[in-house]
Amino acid sequence: MRGSKAGLFGRWLKPQEVEQPDGELSYTALADSGLLDDEELVTGLAQEVSRNYLTPGELALVFDDLGAPEVADYLRINKFPSVVITRHGDFGEIVTGALYRRVRRWCVPLLKLRYKQTANQAVQGTDMLAFRFRNEPPVVAVPEVKTRATRKMRLGEEAHKSLESVLGRLDESLAFAMNRCAERGQGFLARRLADLIKNPQNRVVERHMVFVHDNEKWKDDVVDLLAAEVTEPTELTVVKIDNLQEFVARVYQAAELTVGQQNDHAGGAA
């Protein structure tokens, strides 16, 4: 599958051996497998970054020549965050979406970053939603995503509070996704989402957390502290990336330069 983005994400991250904490928390750690060379990895992630911000055909409306230098300026000014903390947060959501969609094979119908009003402002609600509509009852995964280049022992506590907050307003996020699907003419998805809103008793909501974290700064004591907070079944995935801050900067820089190769096909989300 070399060259495909599905293959890229499947080969980039491999599970590590971890010790499971006591209680309701299930812990998975992922790290670089070493199977991809640096250029292939950065280029593949750059393409994924671009498609998360750009609607299909958007650049063609603005530019006649997609290879023009003005394209990079357009992305830098209008699409990609200049504030580091916002950029890191967006990158974490992009990686999480690709992990759930391309590797874990959940249905992720919405690339939420396409709906940002300004580059440095977050879209409200859940970080993302993933679904297994074929299950009976249907399953809704609500991942809370945190991206950190520095160590913070209370990261889990912060994520737990954020997750509980968005779960309390889950129907708002479902309605946002439903309306976006309806606008795109995806009636089947819109109706399935409407059913989840109308019949909350006929859905299973799963609590998920994803921490995209600098590898050298990560310590498992964060997991132990989080496990003490969690009272309901919760899945935690930690994605460890070497030199995270520098890596994210390189991916976004590559995205500015390689956007002409953008693939507008949804690949499971649009």
Side-chain angles (χ1 to χ4, degrees):
M1 297 178 67
R2 186 174 182 85
S4 75
K5 284 178 282 193
L8 181 138
F9 278 93
R11 291 182 294 133
W12 172 32
L13 298 170
K14 68 175 182 179
Q16 296 185 310
E17 291 188 7
V18 297
E19 183 176 344
Q20 291 298 322
D22 295 331
E24 299 286 358
L25 187 69
S26 175
Y27 172 35
T28 300
L30 303 174
D32 194 326
S33 66
L35 296 176
L36 300 173
D37 62 53
D38 184 72
E39 182 179 357
E40 182 182 7
L41 176 58
V42 171
T43 299
L45 288 173
Q47 292 175 350
E48 189 68 23
V49 162
S50 297
R51 68 181 293 275
N52 268 265
Y53 290 100
L54 292 167
T55 58
E58 178 176 348
L59 290 179
L61 292 172
V62 183
F63 300 102
D64 294 326
D65 180 4
L66 294 186
E70 290 82 2
V71 172
D73 291 335
Y74 175 80
L75 293 172
R76 190 179 304 113
I77 295 169
N78 298 290
K79 291 293 179 179
F80 296 163
S82 59
V83 176
V84 171
I85 190 171
T86 306
R87 180 174 290 195
H88 283 187
D90 285 3
F91 180 77
E93 292 185 23
I94 291 167
V95 169
T96 300
L99 175 65
Y100 276 72
R101 186 173 63 254
R102 300 188 185 282
V103 180
R104 296 177 173 175
R105 298 301 181 182
W106 287 77
C107 173
V108 182
L110 196 68
L111 299 181
K112 198 180 72 170
L113 297 180
R114 290 180 177 178
Y115 300 94
K116 297 178 73 170
Q117 291 184 312
T118 61
N120 289 310
Q121 184 178 24
V123 180
Q124 298 300 305
T126 57
D127 290 330
M128 63 167 279
L129 292 171
F131 302 90
R132 296 205 188 279
F133 287 117
R134 294 182 179 179
N135 287 31
E136 188 53 49
V139 180
V140 185
V142 185
E144 175 65 24
V145 184
K146 299 293 183 187
T147 307
R148 295 291 183 270
T150 58
R151 174 169 163 74
K152 186 174 184 179
M153 285 188 63
R154 293 293 176 181
L155 175 62
E157 180 181 346
E158 178 184 313
H160 183 258
K161 289 180 179 178
S162 297
L163 180 57
E164 292 304 311
S165 177
V166 297
L167 284 171
R169 304 176 65 176
L170 177 58
D171 282 355
E172 294 179 7
S173 294
L174 289 170
F176 181 83
M178 176 190 70
N179 289 326
R180 302 295 79 76
C181 289
E183 289 169 354
R184 298 197 304 258
Q186 296 174 317
F188 173 78
L189 282 173
R191 288 190 294 272
R192 295 305 303 268
L193 292 165
D195 287 340
L196 296 179
I197 297 171
K198 289 185 295 184
N199 302 298
Q201 74 283 357
N202 190 39
R203 69 192 189 197
V204 174
V205 178
E206 292 187 359
R207 289 166 162 78
H208 293 227
M209 298 181 189
V210 179
F211 300 162
V212 178
H213 206 283
D214 187 279
N215 190 18
E216 293 185 355
K217 305 293 173 52
W218 174 258
K219 292 188 181 299
D220 279 348
D221 56 1
V222 173
V223 179
D224 296 328
L225 290 171
L226 174 58
E229 293 280 336
V230 169
T231 59
E232 298 186 59
T234 304
E235 294 187 19
L236 169 66
T237 301
V238 178
V239 179
K240 303 176 186 179
I241 298 177
D242 293 332
N243 301 311
L244 178 64
Q245 184 166 339
E246 177 188 356
F247 183 77
V248 173
R250 289 175 55 218
V251 169
Y252 273 81
Q253 184 178 33
E256 295 172 6
L257 299 175
T258 62
V259 72
Q261 303 169 15
Q262 174 81 15
N263 182 352
D264 276 340
H265 291 294

